[in-house]
Amino acid sequence: MNLASSSRYADVLICGGTVVTPNGCESIDVACAAGQIVALGDLCRLWQADTVIEATGLHVLPGVIDSQVHFREPGLTHKEDIEAGTRGAVLGGVTAVFEMPNTQPLTLWQTDLQAKLDAAQGRAWCNYAFYIGGSAINAEQLPQLENLHGCAGVKVFMGSSFGDLLADEDSVLRRILHHGRRRLAVHAEDEARLRQRRALVEASGEVCQHPLWRDEQSALLATRRIVQLAQETGRRLHVLHVSTAEEMAFLAAHKQRVTVEVTPHHLSLVAPDCYQRLGCLAQMNPPVREHRHQRALWQAIADGVVDVIGSDHAPHTLEEKARPYPHSPSGMTGVQTLLPLLLDHLHGGRLSLPRLVDLTSAGPARVFGLEGKGRIALGFDADLTLVDLRARRTIHNHWIASRSGWTPYDGLSVCGWPIHTLVNGQVVVRDEVLTGAIPQGRPLRFLDVLPVSQSAQP
Ligand code: DOR
């Protein structure tokens, strides 16, 4: 065959890398055109491209999806905004995010969602979807709201964390669970117990008491309640940032209905050390706890109980974090350090590469029913994260794009680093540097989103 006469034009060719596909690790080339993967392996020779990425020595992963970030826009953009948040995402190898509803105003209605979609247009460096908050005032409208274009689903705060979003009574939770069919994402801490126990830490001013205030029982009580209610109502659940050994044991027995997310900080930081070193910078809800919990989370990853790792990127300024505990807000940055930390855990032997891909890309795509994401295969979207598993780097605050400008991992040396990031077939980070491209992130598409009238058909 005359190859020259039959060549076609791709936008990007990735040559010589080790590509993580559903078959395992393969030494193959990848061609991307019009935002999709159009050829793999030998057939790439039929494609020419203006942009060729020489990927020898690199691993090509399906783009990392961070299904839990707080980008604070609108209302709190002194902490973070969509442009800086997504810039941090792509510098950290993340190609898609699900953003949380505890902004100001809260994301409760179609107009709130539309305002976020408008704000992201032309300013988001990666792909995105936005959660609608589930509450007493919009429960009956959730079937329509969760089906809106660009909606990641419904998120419920059972315990108050940051902002005013709260649904803690069984009667309200039942109404929310009854209205809608997509997997419901839950922050499970028991509000009544949290209120009762706050006095324990109010006087001490010691952030190392944070896990005492928001203790294991607070998490377990809420997780048990919501799983019980989901069983009663036949709804699927996604329990966010699971932080205790007891919840993991419970959730392992409910995997038919419930998917499980953990965070890099619960896997990487440990109490009391983190509070001694970092003070309120380590303050997070649910809290970073002692070693036995962290061991249980890693065991749950090994056992396949965990479906997703999401960062819970929740920035506050250093000034806000300097308030005396417990008046300091809970939350830390995480979207940009998610992958570097996990690559370092891979290097340390705690995680295999296929499992890392499962937890950060294929897992979220499966759990949330994302269209065209989560695997490197023909016809899938060309969202790709190229990493050097041997690159050693030190994480520094000055590398962090977040408007809050800090990370709890400042000064940490890690092995494994994102080098190039492609979003919709466009190279947005090349050789660790943001390219001059215009932000072209798009709303994510979901498989099980159907107009309500159609979804009600037999
Ligand atoms: O520590 C936290 N901070 N946990 C959450 O779930 C919310 C968050 C925030 O928005 O700051």
Side-chain angles (χ1 to χ4, degrees), residues 257-293:
R257 180 169 299 284
V258 186
T259 49
V260 173
E261 182 163 325
V262 296
T263 70
H265 48 275
H266 290 116
L267 294 169
S268 309
L269 301 176
V270 74
D273 162 77
C274 65
Y275 300 110
Q276 286 155 1
R277 280 192 304 112
L278 299 164
C280 293
L281 298 186
Q283 181 190 334
M284 199 70 205
N285 299 331
V288 174
R289 305 183 193 277
E290 61 271 30
H291 223 263
R292 79 174 179 91
H293 293 295

PDB file of all heavy atoms in Angstrom, residues 257-293:
ATOM      1  N   ARG A 257     -25.287  -1.503  46.039  1.00  0.00           N
ATOM      2  CA  ARG A 257     -26.028  -0.255  45.884  1.00  0.00           C
ATOM      3  C   ARG A 257     -25.128   0.980  45.999  1.00  0.00           C
ATOM      4  O   ARG A 257     -25.473   2.050  45.493  1.00  0.00           O
ATOM      5  CB  ARG A 257     -27.103  -0.201  46.983  1.00  0.00           C
ATOM      6  CG  ARG A 257     -27.974   1.019  46.991  1.00  0.00           C
ATOM      7  CD  ARG A 257     -29.146   0.850  47.925  1.00  0.00           C
ATOM      8  NE  ARG A 257     -29.996  -0.275  47.534  1.00  0.00           N
ATOM      9  CZ  ARG A 257     -30.856  -0.267  46.521  1.00  0.00           C
ATOM     10  NH1 ARG A 257     -30.987   0.813  45.790  1.00  0.00           N
ATOM     11  NH2 ARG A 257     -31.572  -1.325  46.241  1.00  0.00           N
ATOM     12  N   VAL A 258     -23.996   0.794  46.665  1.00  0.00           N
ATOM     13  CA  VAL A 258     -23.215   1.962  47.076  1.00  0.00           C
ATOM     14  C   VAL A 258     -21.823   1.941  46.452  1.00  0.00           C
ATOM     15  O   VAL A 258     -21.140   0.911  46.504  1.00  0.00           O
ATOM     16  CB  VAL A 258     -23.065   1.986  48.612  1.00  0.00           C
ATOM     17  CG1 VAL A 258     -22.374   3.268  49.064  1.00  0.00           C
ATOM     18  CG2 VAL A 258     -24.418   1.863  49.290  1.00  0.00           C
ATOM     19  N   THR A 259     -21.409   3.073  45.896  1.00  0.00           N
ATOM     20  CA  THR A 259     -20.018   3.224  45.464  1.00  0.00           C
ATOM     21  C   THR A 259     -19.296   4.123  46.465  1.00  0.00           C
ATOM     22  O   THR A 259     -19.916   4.890  47.197  1.00  0.00           O
ATOM     23  CB  THR A 259     -19.935   3.798  44.039  1.00  0.00           C
ATOM     24  OG1 THR A 259     -20.779   4.944  43.950  1.00  0.00           O
ATOM     25  CG2 THR A 259     -20.357   2.757  43.022  1.00  0.00           C
ATOM     26  N   VAL A 260     -17.964   4.003  46.466  1.00  0.00           N
ATOM     27  CA  VAL A 260     -17.164   4.558  47.566  1.00  0.00           C
ATOM     28  C   VAL A 260     -16.028   5.408  47.010  1.00  0.00           C
ATOM     29  O   VAL A 260     -15.330   4.996  46.081  1.00  0.00           O
ATOM     30  CB  VAL A 260     -16.581   3.387  48.401  1.00  0.00           C
ATOM     31  CG1 VAL A 260     -15.604   3.897  49.447  1.00  0.00           C
ATOM     32  CG2 VAL A 260     -17.699   2.579  49.055  1.00  0.00           C
ATOM     33  N   GLU A 261     -15.867   6.590  47.618  1.00  0.00           N
ATOM     34  CA  GLU A 261     -14.777   7.486  47.214  1.00  0.00           C
ATOM     35  C   GLU A 261     -13.875   7.750  48.418  1.00  0.00           C
ATOM     36  O   GLU A 261     -14.359   7.902  49.541  1.00  0.00           O
ATOM     37  CB  GLU A 261     -15.387   8.796  46.696  1.00  0.00           C
ATOM     38  CG  GLU A 261     -14.378   9.802  46.200  1.00  0.00           C
ATOM     39  CD  GLU A 261     -15.030  10.893  45.337  1.00  0.00           C
ATOM     40  OE1 GLU A 261     -15.999  10.600  44.593  1.00  0.00           O
ATOM     41  OE2 GLU A 261     -14.571  12.040  45.419  1.00  0.00           O
ATOM     42  N   VAL A 262     -12.579   7.808  48.184  1.00  0.00           N
ATOM     43  CA  VAL A 262     -11.646   8.255  49.220  1.00  0.00           C
ATOM     44  C   VAL A 262     -10.792   9.383  48.641  1.00  0.00           C
ATOM     45  O   VAL A 262     -10.773   9.605  47.433  1.00  0.00           O
ATOM     46  CB  VAL A 262     -10.734   7.116  49.753  1.00  0.00           C
ATOM     47  CG1 VAL A 262     -11.554   6.042  50.442  1.00  0.00           C
ATOM     48  CG2 VAL A 262      -9.865   6.541  48.676  1.00  0.00           C
ATOM     49  N   THR A 263     -10.098  10.089  49.553  1.00  0.00           N
ATOM     50  CA  THR A 263      -9.310  11.246  49.109  1.00  0.00           C
ATOM     51  C   THR A 263      -7.814  10.969  49.281  1.00  0.00           C
ATOM     52  O   THR A 263      -7.416  10.172  50.138  1.00  0.00           O
ATOM     53  CB  THR A 263      -9.632  12.494  49.963  1.00  0.00           C
ATOM     54  OG1 THR A 263      -9.105  12.282  51.273  1.00  0.00           O
ATOM     55  CG2 THR A 263     -11.113  12.771  50.037  1.00  0.00           C
ATOM     56  N   PRO A 264      -6.991  11.687  48.522  1.00  0.00           N
ATOM     57  CA  PRO A 264      -5.538  11.556  48.693  1.00  0.00           C
ATOM     58  C   PRO A 264      -5.070  11.980  50.091  1.00  0.00           C
ATOM     59  O   PRO A 264      -4.109  11.419  50.602  1.00  0.00           O
ATOM     60  CB  PRO A 264      -4.958  12.494  47.640  1.00  0.00           C
ATOM     61  CG  PRO A 264      -6.047  12.703  46.655  1.00  0.00           C
ATOM     62  CD  PRO A 264      -7.331  12.570  47.395  1.00  0.00           C
ATOM     63  N   HIS A 265      -5.753  12.968  50.714  1.00  0.00           N
ATOM     64  CA  HIS A 265      -5.247  13.400  52.031  1.00  0.00           C
ATOM     65  C   HIS A 265      -5.516  12.350  53.097  1.00  0.00           C
ATOM     66  O   HIS A 265      -4.681  12.143  53.979  1.00  0.00           O
ATOM     67  CB  HIS A 265      -5.765  14.784  52.443  1.00  0.00           C
ATOM     68  CG  HIS A 265      -7.231  14.997  52.290  1.00  0.00           C
ATOM     69  ND1 HIS A 265      -7.793  15.394  51.110  1.00  0.00           N
ATOM     70  CD2 HIS A 265      -8.251  14.863  53.161  1.00  0.00           C
ATOM     71  CE1 HIS A 265      -9.105  15.509  51.264  1.00  0.00           C
ATOM     72  NE2 HIS A 265      -9.405  15.184  52.501  1.00  0.00           N
ATOM     73  N   HIS A 266      -6.649  11.655  53.017  1.00  0.00           N
ATOM     74  CA  HIS A 266      -6.862  10.579  53.995  1.00  0.00           C
ATOM     75  C   HIS A 266      -5.904   9.411  53.756  1.00  0.00           C
ATOM     76  O   HIS A 266      -5.622   8.646  54.675  1.00  0.00           O
ATOM     77  CB  HIS A 266      -8.316  10.097  53.947  1.00  0.00           C
ATOM     78  CG  HIS A 266      -9.298  11.107  54.501  1.00  0.00           C
ATOM     79  ND1 HIS A 266     -10.271  11.702  53.737  1.00  0.00           N
ATOM     80  CD2 HIS A 266      -9.424  11.631  55.745  1.00  0.00           C
ATOM     81  CE1 HIS A 266     -10.965  12.555  54.496  1.00  0.00           C
ATOM     82  NE2 HIS A 266     -10.462  12.527  55.713  1.00  0.00           N
ATOM     83  N   LEU A 267      -5.404   9.294  52.537  1.00  0.00           N
ATOM     84  CA  LEU A 267      -4.456   8.214  52.227  1.00  0.00           C
ATOM     85  C   LEU A 267      -3.008   8.611  52.493  1.00  0.00           C
ATOM     86  O   LEU A 267      -2.133   7.752  52.548  1.00  0.00           O
ATOM     87  CB  LEU A 267      -4.584   7.810  50.749  1.00  0.00           C
ATOM     88  CG  LEU A 267      -5.902   7.165  50.332  1.00  0.00           C
ATOM     89  CD1 LEU A 267      -5.991   7.059  48.814  1.00  0.00           C
ATOM     90  CD2 LEU A 267      -6.046   5.783  50.965  1.00  0.00           C
ATOM     91  N   SER A 268      -2.758   9.914  52.634  1.00  0.00           N
ATOM     92  CA  SER A 268      -1.368  10.377  52.686  1.00  0.00           C
ATOM     93  C   SER A 268      -0.975  11.047  53.995  1.00  0.00           C
ATOM     94  O   SER A 268       0.200  11.049  54.353  1.00  0.00           O
ATOM     95  CB  SER A 268      -1.106  11.380  51.546  1.00  0.00           C
ATOM     96  OG  SER A 268      -1.521  10.865  50.314  1.00  0.00           O
ATOM     97  N   LEU A 269      -1.944  11.670  54.676  1.00  0.00           N
ATOM     98  CA  LEU A 269      -1.647  12.357  55.942  1.00  0.00           C
ATOM     99  C   LEU A 269      -2.183  11.501  57.088  1.00  0.00           C
ATOM    100  O   LEU A 269      -3.120  10.726  56.899  1.00  0.00           O
ATOM    101  CB  LEU A 269      -2.318  13.729  55.978  1.00  0.00           C
ATOM    102  CG  LEU A 269      -1.940  14.708  54.861  1.00  0.00           C
ATOM    103  CD1 LEU A 269      -2.773  15.988  54.970  1.00  0.00           C
ATOM    104  CD2 LEU A 269      -0.453  15.040  54.904  1.00  0.00           C
ATOM    105  N   VAL A 270      -1.613  11.692  58.267  1.00  0.00           N
ATOM    106  CA  VAL A 270      -2.060  10.884  59.395  1.00  0.00           C
ATOM    107  C   VAL A 270      -2.040  11.728  60.669  1.00  0.00           C
ATOM    108  O   VAL A 270      -1.185  12.608  60.846  1.00  0.00           O
ATOM    109  CB  VAL A 270      -1.192   9.594  59.481  1.00  0.00           C
ATOM    110  CG1 VAL A 270       0.183   9.874  59.998  1.00  0.00           C
ATOM    111  CG2 VAL A 270      -1.883   8.517  60.271  1.00  0.00           C
ATOM    112  N   ALA A 271      -3.043  11.498  61.535  1.00  0.00           N
ATOM    113  CA  ALA A 271      -3.113  12.209  62.827  1.00  0.00           C
ATOM    114  C   ALA A 271      -2.332  11.407  63.869  1.00  0.00           C
ATOM    115  O   ALA A 271      -2.307  10.177  63.794  1.00  0.00           O
ATOM    116  CB  ALA A 271      -4.576  12.335  63.257  1.00  0.00           C
ATOM    117  N   PRO A 272      -1.704  12.056  64.843  1.00  0.00           N
ATOM    118  CA  PRO A 272      -1.694  13.490  65.093  1.00  0.00           C
ATOM    119  C   PRO A 272      -0.590  14.227  64.344  1.00  0.00           C
ATOM    120  O   PRO A 272      -0.551  15.461  64.380  1.00  0.00           O
ATOM    121  CB  PRO A 272      -1.446  13.564  66.607  1.00  0.00           C
ATOM    122  CG  PRO A 272      -0.590  12.364  66.898  1.00  0.00           C
ATOM    123  CD  PRO A 272      -1.047  11.300  65.946  1.00  0.00           C
ATOM    124  N   ASP A 273       0.284  13.468  63.654  1.00  0.00           N
ATOM    125  CA  ASP A 273       1.440  14.098  63.007  1.00  0.00           C
ATOM    126  C   ASP A 273       1.055  15.296  62.131  1.00  0.00           C
ATOM    127  O   ASP A 273       1.674  16.360  62.179  1.00  0.00           O
ATOM    128  CB  ASP A 273       2.189  13.029  62.170  1.00  0.00           C
ATOM    129  CG  ASP A 273       3.106  13.664  61.156  1.00  0.00           C
ATOM    130  OD1 ASP A 273       4.173  14.131  61.559  1.00  0.00           O
ATOM    131  OD2 ASP A 273       2.727  13.746  59.960  1.00  0.00           O
ATOM    132  N   CYS A 274      -0.003  15.132  61.302  1.00  0.00           N
ATOM    133  CA  CYS A 274      -0.336  16.204  60.344  1.00  0.00           C
ATOM    134  C   CYS A 274      -0.735  17.482  61.073  1.00  0.00           C
ATOM    135  O   CYS A 274      -0.414  18.585  60.616  1.00  0.00           O
ATOM    136  CB  CYS A 274      -1.407  15.751  59.368  1.00  0.00           C
ATOM    137  SG  CYS A 274      -2.994  15.405  60.115  1.00  0.00           S
ATOM    138  N   TYR A 275      -1.416  17.351  62.226  1.00  0.00           N
ATOM    139  CA  TYR A 275      -1.843  18.551  62.950  1.00  0.00           C
ATOM    140  C   TYR A 275      -0.639  19.222  63.619  1.00  0.00           C
ATOM    141  O   TYR A 275      -0.557  20.447  63.687  1.00  0.00           O
ATOM    142  CB  TYR A 275      -2.927  18.206  63.974  1.00  0.00           C
ATOM    143  CG  TYR A 275      -4.148  17.602  63.306  1.00  0.00           C
ATOM    144  CD1 TYR A 275      -4.465  16.257  63.466  1.00  0.00           C
ATOM    145  CD2 TYR A 275      -4.957  18.373  62.468  1.00  0.00           C
ATOM    146  CE1 TYR A 275      -5.567  15.698  62.835  1.00  0.00           C
ATOM    147  CE2 TYR A 275      -6.060  17.826  61.832  1.00  0.00           C
ATOM    148  CZ  TYR A 275      -6.356  16.484  62.013  1.00  0.00           C
ATOM    149  OH  TYR A 275      -7.437  15.945  61.372  1.00  0.00           O
ATOM    150  N   GLN A 276       0.315  18.408  64.096  1.00  0.00           N
ATOM    151  CA  GLN A 276       1.528  18.971  64.706  1.00  0.00           C
ATOM    152  C   GLN A 276       2.356  19.726  63.666  1.00  0.00           C
ATOM    153  O   GLN A 276       2.873  20.800  63.928  1.00  0.00           O
ATOM    154  CB  GLN A 276       2.363  17.848  65.339  1.00  0.00           C
ATOM    155  CG  GLN A 276       1.740  17.334  66.625  1.00  0.00           C
ATOM    156  CD  GLN A 276       2.129  15.896  66.960  1.00  0.00           C
ATOM    157  OE1 GLN A 276       2.900  15.259  66.231  1.00  0.00           O
ATOM    158  NE2 GLN A 276       1.592  15.368  68.043  1.00  0.00           N
ATOM    159  N   ARG A 277       2.452  19.161  62.476  1.00  0.00           N
ATOM    160  CA  ARG A 277       3.276  19.784  61.424  1.00  0.00           C
ATOM    161  C   ARG A 277       2.580  20.959  60.754  1.00  0.00           C
ATOM    162  O   ARG A 277       3.201  21.963  60.424  1.00  0.00           O
ATOM    163  CB  ARG A 277       3.604  18.763  60.325  1.00  0.00           C
ATOM    164  CG  ARG A 277       4.714  17.817  60.646  1.00  0.00           C
ATOM    165  CD  ARG A 277       5.162  17.040  59.406  1.00  0.00           C
ATOM    166  NE  ARG A 277       4.095  16.314  58.741  1.00  0.00           N
ATOM    167  CZ  ARG A 277       3.614  16.597  57.542  1.00  0.00           C
ATOM    168  NH1 ARG A 277       4.094  17.611  56.846  1.00  0.00           N
ATOM    169  NH2 ARG A 277       2.641  15.879  56.999  1.00  0.00           N
ATOM    170  N   LEU A 278       1.278  20.793  60.495  1.00  0.00           N
ATOM    171  CA  LEU A 278       0.587  21.723  59.594  1.00  0.00           C
ATOM    172  C   LEU A 278      -0.467  22.588  60.275  1.00  0.00           C
ATOM    173  O   LEU A 278      -1.013  23.498  59.655  1.00  0.00           O
ATOM    174  CB  LEU A 278      -0.107  20.920  58.472  1.00  0.00           C
ATOM    175  CG  LEU A 278       0.814  20.080  57.587  1.00  0.00           C
ATOM    176  CD1 LEU A 278       0.021  19.057  56.792  1.00  0.00           C
ATOM    177  CD2 LEU A 278       1.594  20.988  56.638  1.00  0.00           C
ATOM    178  N   GLY A 279      -0.767  22.305  61.526  1.00  0.00           N
ATOM    179  CA  GLY A 279      -1.810  23.067  62.219  1.00  0.00           C
ATOM    180  C   GLY A 279      -3.127  22.974  61.471  1.00  0.00           C
ATOM    181  O   GLY A 279      -3.496  21.910  60.959  1.00  0.00           O
ATOM    182  N   CYS A 280      -3.801  24.137  61.341  1.00  0.00           N
ATOM    183  CA  CYS A 280      -5.131  24.135  60.715  1.00  0.00           C
ATOM    184  C   CYS A 280      -5.080  23.881  59.211  1.00  0.00           C
ATOM    185  O   CYS A 280      -6.122  23.653  58.585  1.00  0.00           O
ATOM    186  CB  CYS A 280      -5.847  25.451  60.995  1.00  0.00           C
ATOM    187  SG  CYS A 280      -6.237  25.645  62.732  1.00  0.00           S
ATOM    188  N   LEU A 281      -3.892  23.906  58.594  1.00  0.00           N
ATOM    189  CA  LEU A 281      -3.818  23.565  57.164  1.00  0.00           C
ATOM    190  C   LEU A 281      -4.241  22.119  56.943  1.00  0.00           C
ATOM    191  O   LEU A 281      -4.666  21.746  55.848  1.00  0.00           O
ATOM    192  CB  LEU A 281      -2.396  23.765  56.617  1.00  0.00           C
ATOM    193  CG  LEU A 281      -1.832  25.183  56.652  1.00  0.00           C
ATOM    194  CD1 LEU A 281      -0.485  25.233  55.939  1.00  0.00           C
ATOM    195  CD2 LEU A 281      -2.791  26.186  56.007  1.00  0.00           C
ATOM    196  N   ALA A 282      -4.135  21.308  57.982  1.00  0.00           N
ATOM    197  CA  ALA A 282      -4.536  19.895  57.862  1.00  0.00           C
ATOM    198  C   ALA A 282      -6.004  19.676  58.239  1.00  0.00           C
ATOM    199  O   ALA A 282      -6.488  18.550  58.208  1.00  0.00           O
ATOM    200  CB  ALA A 282      -3.645  19.017  58.744  1.00  0.00           C
ATOM    201  N   GLN A 283      -6.694  20.765  58.577  1.00  0.00           N
ATOM    202  CA  GLN A 283      -8.098  20.649  59.034  1.00  0.00           C
ATOM    203  C   GLN A 283      -9.026  20.448  57.840  1.00  0.00           C
ATOM    204  O   GLN A 283      -9.104  21.290  56.951  1.00  0.00           O
ATOM    205  CB  GLN A 283      -8.482  21.905  59.811  1.00  0.00           C
ATOM    206  CG  GLN A 283      -9.884  21.897  60.357  1.00  0.00           C
ATOM    207  CD  GLN A 283     -10.277  23.269  60.903  1.00  0.00           C
ATOM    208  OE1 GLN A 283      -9.411  24.056  61.320  1.00  0.00           O
ATOM    209  NE2 GLN A 283     -11.557  23.562  60.877  1.00  0.00           N
ATOM    210  N   MET A 284      -9.763  19.378  57.889  1.00  0.00           N
ATOM    211  CA  MET A 284     -10.596  18.940  56.759  1.00  0.00           C
ATOM    212  C   MET A 284     -11.808  18.229  57.323  1.00  0.00           C
ATOM    213  O   MET A 284     -11.725  17.629  58.396  1.00  0.00           O
ATOM    214  CB  MET A 284      -9.715  17.944  55.984  1.00  0.00           C
ATOM    215  CG  MET A 284     -10.082  17.653  54.593  1.00  0.00           C
ATOM    216  SD  MET A 284      -9.793  19.040  53.495  1.00  0.00           S
ATOM    217  CE  MET A 284     -10.966  18.642  52.226  1.00  0.00           C
ATOM    218  N   ASN A 285     -12.915  18.255  56.603  1.00  0.00           N
ATOM    219  CA  ASN A 285     -14.088  17.480  57.010  1.00  0.00           C
ATOM    220  C   ASN A 285     -14.434  16.440  55.941  1.00  0.00           C
ATOM    221  O   ASN A 285     -14.601  16.839  54.801  1.00  0.00           O
ATOM    222  CB  ASN A 285     -15.304  18.381  57.191  1.00  0.00           C
ATOM    223  CG  ASN A 285     -15.084  19.415  58.264  1.00  0.00           C
ATOM    224  OD1 ASN A 285     -14.333  19.188  59.203  1.00  0.00           O
ATOM    225  ND2 ASN A 285     -15.739  20.558  58.116  1.00  0.00           N
ATOM    226  N   PRO A 286     -14.592  15.174  56.305  1.00  0.00           N
ATOM    227  CA  PRO A 286     -14.283  14.598  57.606  1.00  0.00           C
ATOM    228  C   PRO A 286     -12.782  14.660  57.860  1.00  0.00           C
ATOM    229  O   PRO A 286     -11.994  14.757  56.914  1.00  0.00           O
ATOM    230  CB  PRO A 286     -14.779  13.154  57.479  1.00  0.00           C
ATOM    231  CG  PRO A 286     -14.879  12.885  56.026  1.00  0.00           C
ATOM    232  CD  PRO A 286     -15.125  14.177  55.343  1.00  0.00           C
ATOM    233  N   PRO A 287     -12.392  14.593  59.135  1.00  0.00           N
ATOM    234  CA  PRO A 287     -10.984  14.841  59.482  1.00  0.00           C
ATOM    235  C   PRO A 287     -10.020  13.757  59.005  1.00  0.00           C
ATOM    236  O   PRO A 287     -10.411  12.604  58.807  1.00  0.00           O
ATOM    237  CB  PRO A 287     -10.997  14.843  61.025  1.00  0.00           C
ATOM    238  CG  PRO A 287     -12.410  14.939  61.424  1.00  0.00           C
ATOM    239  CD  PRO A 287     -13.238  14.363  60.316  1.00  0.00           C
ATOM    240  N   VAL A 288      -8.772  14.173  58.866  1.00  0.00           N
ATOM    241  CA  VAL A 288      -7.687  13.202  58.727  1.00  0.00           C
ATOM    242  C   VAL A 288      -7.545  12.530  60.096  1.00  0.00           C
ATOM    243  O   VAL A 288      -7.517  13.209  61.120  1.00  0.00           O
ATOM    244  CB  VAL A 288      -6.372  13.908  58.328  1.00  0.00           C
ATOM    245  CG1 VAL A 288      -5.213  12.913  58.317  1.00  0.00           C
ATOM    246  CG2 VAL A 288      -6.521  14.587  56.974  1.00  0.00           C
ATOM    247  N   ARG A 289      -7.511  11.202  60.100  1.00  0.00           N
ATOM    248  CA  ARG A 289      -7.545  10.454  61.371  1.00  0.00           C
ATOM    249  C   ARG A 289      -6.253   9.657  61.572  1.00  0.00           C
ATOM    250  O   ARG A 289      -5.352   9.698  60.743  1.00  0.00           O
ATOM    251  CB  ARG A 289      -8.743   9.507  61.379  1.00  0.00           C
ATOM    252  CG  ARG A 289     -10.068  10.215  61.108  1.00  0.00           C
ATOM    253  CD  ARG A 289     -11.234   9.251  61.198  1.00  0.00           C
ATOM    254  NE  ARG A 289     -12.437   9.851  60.635  1.00  0.00           N
ATOM    255  CZ  ARG A 289     -13.263  10.670  61.276  1.00  0.00           C
ATOM    256  NH1 ARG A 289     -13.023  11.000  62.531  1.00  0.00           N
ATOM    257  NH2 ARG A 289     -14.333  11.171  60.679  1.00  0.00           N
ATOM    258  N   GLU A 290      -6.249   8.858  62.644  1.00  0.00           N
ATOM    259  CA  GLU A 290      -5.018   8.146  62.972  1.00  0.00           C
ATOM    260  C   GLU A 290      -4.801   6.942  62.045  1.00  0.00           C
ATOM    261  O   GLU A 290      -5.653   6.585  61.242  1.00  0.00           O
ATOM    262  CB  GLU A 290      -4.962   7.753  64.455  1.00  0.00           C
ATOM    263  CG  GLU A 290      -6.042   6.843  64.947  1.00  0.00           C
ATOM    264  CD  GLU A 290      -7.278   7.582  65.445  1.00  0.00           C
ATOM    265  OE1 GLU A 290      -7.578   8.687  64.936  1.00  0.00           O
ATOM    266  OE2 GLU A 290      -7.979   7.033  66.301  1.00  0.00           O
ATOM    267  N   HIS A 291      -3.642   6.343  62.256  1.00  0.00           N
ATOM    268  CA  HIS A 291      -3.109   5.344  61.355  1.00  0.00           C
ATOM    269  C   HIS A 291      -4.027   4.169  61.042  1.00  0.00           C
ATOM    270  O   HIS A 291      -4.100   3.702  59.911  1.00  0.00           O
ATOM    271  CB  HIS A 291      -1.797   4.820  61.943  1.00  0.00           C
ATOM    272  CG  HIS A 291      -0.748   4.688  60.890  1.00  0.00           C
ATOM    273  ND1 HIS A 291      -0.480   3.498  60.270  1.00  0.00           N
ATOM    274  CD2 HIS A 291       0.050   5.619  60.326  1.00  0.00           C
ATOM    275  CE1 HIS A 291       0.453   3.700  59.371  1.00  0.00           C
ATOM    276  NE2 HIS A 291       0.796   4.977  59.376  1.00  0.00           N
ATOM    277  N   ARG A 292      -4.747   3.694  62.041  1.00  0.00           N
ATOM    278  CA  ARG A 292      -5.542   2.478  61.789  1.00  0.00           C
ATOM    279  C   ARG A 292      -6.611   2.754  60.718  1.00  0.00           C
ATOM    280  O   ARG A 292      -6.947   1.867  59.930  1.00  0.00           O
ATOM    281  CB  ARG A 292      -6.166   1.948  63.082  1.00  0.00           C
ATOM    282  CG  ARG A 292      -7.400   2.666  63.563  1.00  0.00           C
ATOM    283  CD  ARG A 292      -8.023   1.972  64.780  1.00  0.00           C
ATOM    284  NE  ARG A 292      -9.194   2.713  65.210  1.00  0.00           N
ATOM    285  CZ  ARG A 292     -10.432   2.477  64.784  1.00  0.00           C
ATOM    286  NH1 ARG A 292     -10.667   1.494  63.934  1.00  0.00           N
ATOM    287  NH2 ARG A 292     -11.439   3.207  65.214  1.00  0.00           N
ATOM    288  N   HIS A 293      -7.105   3.973  60.668  1.00  0.00           N
ATOM    289  CA  HIS A 293      -8.096   4.303  59.637  1.00  0.00           C
ATOM    290  C   HIS A 293      -7.433   4.339  58.260  1.00  0.00           C
ATOM    291  O   HIS A 293      -7.970   3.817  57.291  1.00  0.00           O
ATOM    292  CB  HIS A 293      -8.761   5.645  59.950  1.00  0.00           C
ATOM    293  CG  HIS A 293      -9.612   5.588  61.174  1.00  0.00           C
ATOM    294  ND1 HIS A 293     -10.735   4.812  61.255  1.00  0.00           N
ATOM    295  CD2 HIS A 293      -9.484   6.181  62.384  1.00  0.00           C
ATOM    296  CE1 HIS A 293     -11.288   4.941  62.459  1.00  0.00           C
ATOM    297  NE2 HIS A 293     -10.540   5.770  63.164  1.00  0.00           N
TER     298      HIS A 293
END
